[in-house]
Amino acid sequence: NDVVELMPGQLITGGAATGGGKSLFGMNLAAHVALTRARPALIASMEMGGSELMARLTAAEAGVDVDRLIRRKLTTADWEKVFRAAPKLQNAANFVLDDSPNLTIGKIRTRIRWMAGTGRPPAIVVADYLQLVTPESGGKKDRSRANEVADISRNLKLLAMEFEIPVVALAQFNRGATGREPTVSDFKDSSAIEQDSNVIVLMHRPPPADPDAGIPDRSGEIDLIVAK
């Protein structure tokens, strides 16, 4: 029941295993800013393009299954939910998606400056996800992957401080974190993430239901653990 307030200048890192819901977590934060608060939100995504983002956004706001929406298999009840959600989606223009290939910190900084130049600077930046950001060094062979990820983490923190906005960095866990409750030591490729982050939220899918062991059915749920 921890309450996390996203403050200007902070780096907030959301960690999850592969398929653990980190993209949905970041999108929901951006959706609150863009749709509910009616302020610009920048999503620097190496995971999804514009059509997928809008499909997930529509499905989340309407409360319908995203796979049925993408396959155009919505029921009459589903369509009614989508129509009811339409007024919320009028602020979808507040979403600015940068899904350009080989996305670097420099490119994210340029996009933020461009938005500021239009008079609508982002109120939040979501990077999805940290380990997919291209190193400014271009991935030189004499640098370890851990050092590259540490540089990316530090530069995202500096980006938040430079523009005085919260930056949400989504990050992937090592494979060893699968099937158990994660810790901050599970981040893939770098331990610097813990040091650079002001706030860390770890995502964990509850175990499958087992009535005999007293484990309830929590399918579709994700636990958010505020680890820092």
Side-chain angles (χ1 to χ4, degrees):
N1 294 324
D2 292 309
V3 176
V4 176
E5 185 174 3
L6 308 187
M7 301 294 292
Q10 285 190 341
L11 174 63
I12 301 95
T13 301
T18 301
K22 58 183 178 295
S23 292
L24 182 60
F25 172 74
M27 189 195 70
N28 284 344
L29 291 177
H32 175 73
V33 172
L35 302 183
T36 304
R37 303 283 300 274
R39 299 186 64 189
L42 172 61
I43 300 181
S45 177
M46 284 64 66
E47 281 283 86
M48 67 176 74
S51 58
E52 183 180 356
L53 173 66
M54 285 307 302
R56 289 184 177 276
L57 180 63
T58 301
E61 291 299 317
V64 300
D65 184 86
V66 66
D67 291 330
R68 290 207 305 270
L69 177 63
I70 292 174
R71 297 197 310 268
R72 300 182 181 181
K73 300 291 184 179
L74 295 180
T75 65
T76 300
D78 288 336
W79 278 115
E80 291 176 352
K81 292 179 181 179
V82 171
F83 290 141
R84 286 198 297 269
K88 296 181 181 179
L89 297 172
Q90 289 180 353
N91 286 326
N94 287 320
F95 273 92
V96 176
L97 173 68
D98 191 336
D99 59 352
S100 57
N102 300 320
L103 200 58
T104 64
I105 298 295
K107 289 181 179 179
I108 297 174
R109 179 181 287 105
T110 298
R111 178 66 69 172
I112 295 173
R113 287 176 176 165
W114 173 80
M115 292 178 66
T118 66
R120 291 182 58 77
I124 189 173
V125 173
V126 178
D128 184 17
Y129 59 91
L130 187 151
Q131 288 98 337
L132 288 183
V133 175
T134 301
E136 299 286 357
S137 63
K140 293 181 179 179
K141 292 183 179 180
D142 60 343
R143 301 204 66 206
S144 70
R145 181 56 182 159
N147 286 337
E148 289 179 346
V149 172
D151 283 348
I152 294 168
S153 173
R154 181 58 181 165
N155 282 319
L156 286 172
K157 169 64 175 177
L158 294 175
L159 205 65
M161 297 171 64
E162 177 183 351
F163 293 99
E164 297 185 346
I165 54 177
V167 171
V168 178
L170 306 177
Q172 189 162 304
F173 291 151
N174 291 304
R175 291 183 179 179
T178 303
R180 60 169 173 78
E181 188 170 296
T183 68
V184 292
S185 63
D186 287 320
F187 285 113
K188 185 177 181 180
D189 295 321
S190 179
S191 60
I193 294 174
E194 178 182 359
Q195 178 179 342
D196 294 330
S197 303
N198 298 96
V199 175
I200 295 177
V201 178
L202 308 176
M203 283 156 261
H204 174 57
R205 291 190 182 276
D210 186 347
D212 294 334
I215 300 176
D217 182 9
R218 298 183 58 203
S219 55
E221 297 183 14
I222 296 177
D223 290 330
L224 301 180
I225 303 165
V226 181
K228 183 179 180 181

